[in-house]
Amino acid sequence: MELLSCTVLLALGCAALGWALRRGRGRGPPCVRGWLPWVGAGTQLGRAPLDFIQRARAQCGPVFTVFAMGTRMTFVTEEEGINVFLNSKHVNFELAVQKPVYRTASVPKNIFFTLHEKLYIVMKGKLGTFNIHQFTGKLMQELHEQLEKLGSRGTMDLNNLVRDLLYPATVNILFDKGLIPTNKGELQQFYRHFETYDEGFEYGSQLPEWLLRNWSKSKKWLLATIEKNITHMKACKSAKDNSMTVMQAILDVVEMETREQSPNYGLLMLWASLSNAVTTAFWTLAFVLSHPDVHRALREDIASVFGSAGKDKMKVTEDELKKLPLIKWCVLEAIRLRAPGVIARKVVKPVKIMNFTIPAGDLLVVSPFWLHRNPKHFPEPELFKPERWKMANLEKHAFLDGFIAFGGGKFQCPGRWFALLQIEICIILMLYKYDCCLLDPLPKQSDLHLVGVPKPEGQCRIEYKERA
């Protein structure tokens, strides 16, 4: 009996000590842990990540922590937490992405921290609003070349069609014309390896490479292809103005520190320039073609600026794009509806949100996908309503409140203006040249990934016919 009493007292003492320690450092938010050590809630999260986040919010409230795969992720879903995420000096973007960058592109920690901000400044300058107009003519030329390969009519999967247009055009502009093969067999091999790498990117950012055999094989193939072309990429100059490509500017910065990492940063640039932009172009076209009133209005706008179809290789200028606000609204509305599942920052010093204390070491996480479905910011949030963007001051490059698809704070996506431009031009040319219709219903999005723009689930065929 005496031994039992001592045991009970010891247990109570430990509980009191634990409570005092927790009270001293502040009360943490509700935590979804799962029951397996280290794995935690990883199994539930992996099955349907977006649904899991929404269920956890309904169960735990607007601030909650998920323990999965050895990592604590604290989700914030309302303004107070989002303001901390975007503006606090105690949360850090670079610390959140360093390990994923190492796993997906094999960039060592010391190299990443040395180069990240320098490279961001270079890309922001090359792809920012002051320089973006320089790409309009190049995009026109490249997309016209790819459109000619479609022929006068055809039927194909919309995702493949957009890929065939934007992969070569984007790479030829940002890298050089030698990286994308022209031989059909080699081109399909490039597509296959990139799509394997892209599809497994999220898993590759979290898991050891030896667990992902096919993904690892494609990663190594892409690295070898880029390495083989590095010399040519560095030597390639614009015939018009002898200007540097974006990749050349990146290589100049990287090689001041190390030449060994040039292919690795090339791989990161390749993924960043192709993955989300191509999928966004798919969703924009799919939404437009599945909403006849929007499709009709967009075609009428294009005709009012460029005349009736039939002109050979019509040109789009910066001034003409300003006369077509609807196309930008459509792209931004597609991005709103198909935004990334999560973006993250690393907590470096404890932060307080809604009476909770988030400890250092947690990943502070926001879900653009769910934030964009908040009716406070976006009435009728599930509907595709491009006209809602009429309220945004896009001439001053300001988005609607609550829209964070491109991140926020110091390190917003530096390529966002280039991505918007290439998607707009691609869709303008496609709708000007062809009569298009979808042969399948608008597909659902895949719920298997949280990183990047969600891919379509299943087939979505398009029929196109050259307009007279």
Side-chain angles (χ1 to χ4, degrees):
M1 180 66 100
E2 187 175 338
L3 178 61
L4 178 62
S5 299
C6 289
T7 303
V8 171
L9 286 172
L10 180 62
L12 290 172
C14 289
L17 178 61
W19 178 83
L21 289 172
R22 286 194 299 273
R23 186 175 177 83
R25 67 172 181 257
R27 184 168 64 100
C31 185
V32 183
R33 293 184 176 278
W35 58 275
L36 286 172
W38 188 79
V39 174
T43 305
Q44 303 102 292
L45 180 64
R47 286 196 193 105
L50 289 171
D51 288 343
F52 177 87
I53 292 169
Q54 190 70 343
R55 289 198 310 272
R57 186 192 188 286
Q59 178 184 346
C60 301
V63 184
F64 58 92
T65 300
V66 176
F67 179 79
M69 303 304 183
T71 301
R72 282 174 52 91
M73 297 174 286
T74 295
F75 288 80
V76 289
T77 61
E78 293 188 358
E79 285 186 19
E80 183 180 335
I82 292 161
N83 285 335
V84 171
F85 178 91
L86 294 175
N87 302 312
S88 175
K89 295 179 180 178
H90 300 324
V91 299
N92 186 282
F93 170 80
E94 292 172 315
L95 288 170
V97 301
Q98 181 271 315
K99 282 186 180 178
V101 167
Y102 174 71
R103 290 190 176 112
T104 54
S106 303
V107 174
K109 182 178 181 180
N110 62 319
I111 299 295
F112 172 80
F113 286 126
T114 299
L115 293 179
H116 179 258
E117 187 161 359
K118 297 174 184 176
L119 290 171
Y120 179 84
I121 291 169
V122 167
M123 287 189 288
K124 186 177 178 181
K126 294 286 286 185
L127 300 171
T129 54
F130 290 108
N131 291 321
I132 199 66
H133 66 277
Q134 298 177 7
F135 292 99
T136 305
K138 297 175 183 177
L139 281 165
M140 287 289 309
Q141 181 181 344
E142 290 290 341
L143 287 168
H144 273 306
E145 288 182 20
Q146 305 311 319
L147 280 166
E148 286 180 4
K149 297 175 184 177
L150 288 181
S152 60
R153 63 191 306 162
T155 300
M156 64 188 301
D157 183 78
L158 178 57
N159 205 31
N160 291 339
L161 183 146
V162 172
R163 179 201 66 187
D164 290 350
L165 294 177
L166 284 180
Y167 274 26
T170 304
V171 174
N172 288 346
I173 291 170
L174 299 182
F175 291 78
D176 77 81
K177 280 188 174 282
L179 187 58
I180 287 277
T182 53
N183 175 278
K184 189 172 182 180
E186 293 177 349
L187 181 62
Q188 291 304 314
Q189 186 181 30
F190 179 92
Y191 287 166
R192 186 172 67 252
H193 281 295
F194 181 79
E195 286 166 10
T196 299
Y197 178 78
D198 183 30
E199 182 66 23
F201 187 89
E202 183 171 337
Y203 300 119
S205 71
Q206 302 296 324
L207 299 174
E209 196 167 322
W210 57 268
L211 288 174
L212 305 165
R213 186 175 178 182
N214 289 335
W215 181 83
S216 178
K217 182 179 177 182
S218 291
K219 172 188 170 182
K220 290 172 182 175
W221 187 93
L222 290 166
L223 281 170
T225 299
I226 295 168
E227 184 173 20
K228 184 173 64 177
N229 284 275
I230 285 288
T231 301
H232 186 267
M233 277 189 256
K234 289 164 65 175
C236 179
K237 294 286 184 180
S238 168
K240 184 177 180 181
D241 56 12
N242 205 38
S243 61
M244 296 176 70
T245 65
V246 175
M247 192 61 210
Q248 284 173 336
I250 289 172
L251 290 174
D252 275 1
V253 175
V254 171
E255 293 186 357
M256 288 176 67
E257 186 68 25
T258 171
R259 293 195 173 190
E260 293 180 3
Q261 295 298 313
S262 294
N264 308 72
Y265 277 99
L267 178 57
L268 282 175
M269 181 67 181
L270 188 70
W271 180 80
S273 61
L274 296 183
S275 178
N276 291 331
V278 171
T279 310
T280 300
F282 163 85
W283 284 117
T284 305
L285 264 172
F287 277 121
V288 167
L289 295 177
S290 60
H291 289 76
D293 54 335
V294 178
H295 184 195
R296 182 170 54 254
L298 194 49
R299 283 183 54 173
E300 289 171 357
D301 279 3
I302 292 170
S304 72
V305 174
F306 300 106
S308 58
K311 292 181 181 178
D312 185 40
K313 293 190 176 180
M314 50 87 91
K315 295 181 180 179
V316 180
T317 66
E318 189 177 10
D319 288 337
E320 287 166 334
L321 279 174
K322 291 178 181 177
K323 297 175 184 177
L324 295 169
L326 180 57
I327 181 62
K328 189 181 289 289
W329 299 349
C330 288
V331 177
L332 289 170
E333 183 69 349
I335 294 173
R336 182 189 71 80
L337 284 166
R338 294 295 182 264
V342 298
I343 52 178
R345 305 284 187 267
K346 188 75 171 279
V347 180
V348 293
K349 289 185 179 180
V351 292
K352 282 199 170 184
I353 301 171
M354 295 183 67
N355 297 320
F356 296 119
T357 297
I358 316 303
D362 274 23
L363 286 177
L364 194 65
V365 181
V366 166
S367 174
F369 180 88
W370 287 117
L371 183 63
H372 292 175
R373 281 161 172 73
N374 185 339
K376 176 183 176 181
H377 296 299
F378 305 101
E380 299 180 289
E382 292 293 342
L383 298 183
F384 179 73
K385 296 180 66 175
E387 64 273 14
R388 74 173 82 240
W389 287 90
K390 189 182 296 185
M391 303 300 295
N393 193 348
L394 296 177
E395 287 188 4
K396 292 189 176 180
H397 311 294
F399 300 120
L400 291 173
D401 289 344
F403 181 81
I404 59 167
F406 298 115
K410 183 178 179 180
F411 292 115
Q412 288 190 72
C413 172
R416 60 193 183 278
W417 307 115
F418 177 81
L420 290 172
L421 179 67
Q422 66 177 333
I423 296 167
E424 288 170 38
I425 292 177
C426 178
I427 293 173
I428 288 170
L429 295 184
M430 188 72 194
L431 297 184
Y432 179 81
K433 184 173 182 177
Y434 295 107
D435 288 319
C436 303
C437 66
L438 293 183
L439 300 179
D440 299 304
L442 184 74
K444 294 180 180 179
Q445 66 184 34
S446 171
D447 290 330
L448 293 178
H449 297 284
L450 290 174
V451 176
V453 178
K455 304 290 192 289
E457 189 177 78
Q459 181 176 248
C460 181
R461 293 168 300 153
I462 183 175
E463 183 178 62
Y464 60 92
K465 180 181 178 183
E466 198 165 50
R467 299 173 68 190

